[in-house]
Amino acid sequence: MFDRLKKKWNVNGLQLTLILCTFAIGGSLTGYTARKILGLAEIEPRWLWIIIYILLLTIIWPIAVYLISFPFGQSRFFTRYLKKIAKRFFGSRNHSTESTAASDEVNSGSWNKNPAVSQNLEIAKNAQNHRFIAIFASGTGSNAQKIIDFFRISKTVKIALIVSNKAGAGVLNIAKNENIPSLLIEKDRFFHGDAYIDELNRHNISFIVLAGFLWKVPPNLIMAFKGKIINIHPALLPSYGGKGMYGARVHQAVIDAREKESGITIHYVDEIYDHGKIILQANCPVEEEDTADSLAAKVHALEHLHYPAVIEKLVKNKNCS
Ligand code: GRF
């Protein structure tokens, strides 16, 4: 259960503990305060007492957990969490159907046409200063999450679309949780014709970020977004790149070769796997005792640190409108 929560909320073990403590203390504080308030007046009959008690709980609970979240350092999480709950209760009348409809759209491989999602898209489009970015990913999406977090309150960059080639990929859950439109692409349509380019244009996407996207980007897409597609690779290119070099395979190859250092490469995407012009590299040491997993963790930390900032710089410097 804890593992499921960690995944769902995209937090580590320590954060999960602090979040659960906040819930527990916030809950107790709510009950205590509501009973104290009710103690100030004699309320009869009993059923009226219960109704007022429940009403008080609903009002006090969000305030209590929000206040408690500060000393536990979890205010960011609870701001989002409470906003989500508020949206669910007070959002537009179409809102409650949003996630179901959104996932239906994802499953059918088409765009989110759900009114609530489209409404969000419209609001975003109207923010004229925003550059719209699409993230393409096939896996868990830890980089996607960091990028979303980084640009959450940005006035210039909006993560407007998550594209994945893999049904059930973690990154699609992230999109759902974050209320970002998502698209599950089909191989045939991706590699033949311009259907998805038209869709990207229709959604005003001006920059594409690959974050663990395992399909090769077809030439027509590269042409359409010339100089505006970047990728991150979990090693120091030009070594340990190319077809089939992804995930643990890369790190194992680095360890097998007894390299003293590895790192990340952020680069433009061209027609060849892991080949385009390098934008940034950052290094980390490879220790004797490192395994593919421990090295992956170091590399991931570097990715999370650098990728969002590099995207921001590039998008600001480029004419991405
Ligand atoms: C990252 O290591 C990235 O370098 C590579 O794919 C991985 C994606 O990881 N291209 P995540 O899904 O973002 O956690």
Side-chain angles (χ1 to χ4, degrees):
M1 177 189 134
F2 291 122
D3 278 344
R4 240 189 308 144
L5 280 179
K6 274 201 271 181
K7 260 196 198 148
K8 186 170 173 211
W9 291 336
N10 195 34
V11 293
N12 59 33
L14 175 65
Q15 274 173 298
L16 182 65
T17 313
L18 294 170
I19 287 167
L20 293 179
C21 287
T22 307
F23 274 123
I25 299 174
S28 315
L29 187 66
T30 304
Y32 174 82
T33 317
R35 276 194 300 277
K36 277 274 168 221
I37 294 174
L38 282 171
L40 296 176
E42 295 258 313
I43 296 170
E44 288 296 343
R46 184 72 183 159
W47 61 263
L48 184 61
W49 189 95
I50 293 172
I51 289 176
I52 299 177
Y53 182 67
I54 292 171
L55 277 176
L56 282 175
L57 290 185
T58 357
I59 297 165
I60 299 168
W61 182 80
I63 302 170
V65 285
Y66 188 60
L67 290 180
I68 300 293
S69 72
F70 279 91
F72 282 96
Q74 299 307 313
S75 57
R76 241 181 122 177
F77 171 86
F78 278 93
T79 308
R80 261 196 296 151
Y81 186 83
L82 293 172
K83 264 190 198 161
K84 237 186 235 173
I85 294 182
K87 259 194 200 165
R88 211 163 279 170
F89 280 101
F90 309 114
S92 72
R93 89 196 130 82
N94 293 324
H95 205 93
S96 58
T97 59
E98 178 174 326
S99 42
T100 332
S103 55
D104 287 351
E105 295 279 347
V106 163
N107 290 337
S108 69
S110 60
W111 295 91
N112 280 326
K113 292 188 179 79
N114 176 282
V117 176
S118 311
Q119 196 187 14
N120 287 346
L121 209 63
E122 270 317 306
I123 292 166
K125 267 187 201 163
N126 291 339
Q128 290 188 341
N129 289 333
H130 276 124
R131 305 285 178 246
F132 281 17
I133 292 184
I135 300 178
F136 285 42
S138 311
T140 18
S142 72
N143 278 285
Q145 183 70 62
K146 291 289 168 192
I147 296 165
I148 293 165
D149 292 343
F150 186 90
F151 291 113
R152 194 177 298 287
I153 53 163
S154 168
K155 289 199 166 64
T156 49
V157 173
K158 170 112 191 146
I159 307 305
L161 180 71
I162 303 287
V163 177
S164 185
N165 60 323
K166 211 163 173 198
V171 73
L172 291 174
N173 272 335
I174 294 178
K176 198 166 148 190
N177 290 340
E178 297 284 352
N179 239 342
I180 297 173
S182 58
L183 170 69
L184 181 64
I185 51 174
E186 293 156 4
K187 205 165 199 167
D188 217 42
R189 287 182 78 202
F190 187 62
F191 289 106
H192 302 107
D194 290 343
Y196 289 131
I197 296 175
D198 295 342
E199 297 274 21
L200 289 166
N201 287 334
R202 203 159 60 75
H203 286 258
N204 288 337
I205 300 300
S206 56
F207 199 83
I208 296 175
V209 170
L210 309 186
F213 183 64
L214 294 183
W215 283 355
K216 197 169 177 192
V217 180
N220 58 337
L221 184 52
I222 295 174
M223 278 305 288
F225 285 83
K226 210 166 171 29
K228 290 171 183 169
I229 308 180
I230 62 169
N231 181 41
I232 188 161
H233 185 77
L236 298 170
L237 293 174
S239 304
Y240 308 106
K243 193 169 170 26
M245 286 304 271
Y246 60 87
R249 289 187 204 178
V250 177
H251 305 303
Q252 196 55 56
V254 169
I255 288 169
D256 291 346
R258 300 190 167 277
E259 296 284 2
K260 291 275 169 278
E261 60 177 22
S262 188
I264 60 165
T265 306
I266 298 172
H267 64 94
Y268 288 106
V269 171
D270 65 12
E271 280 83 357
I272 304 168
Y273 268 119
D274 302 326
H275 176 265
K277 189 174 165 220
I278 291 174
I279 301 160
L280 175 133
Q281 292 191 304
N283 305 2
C284 61
V286 182
E287 316 285 352
E288 283 278 311
E289 60 278 12
D290 265 328
T291 61
D293 278 351
S294 65
L295 183 53
K298 289 185 202 172
V299 168
H300 254 119
L302 279 180
E303 293 180 337
H304 298 164
L305 180 69
H306 292 286
Y307 209 15
V310 167
I311 295 166
E312 185 181 45
K313 226 184 214 168
L314 289 175
V315 173
K316 275 188 179 163
N317 287 343
K318 276 186 190 294
N319 176 15
C320 282
S321 46

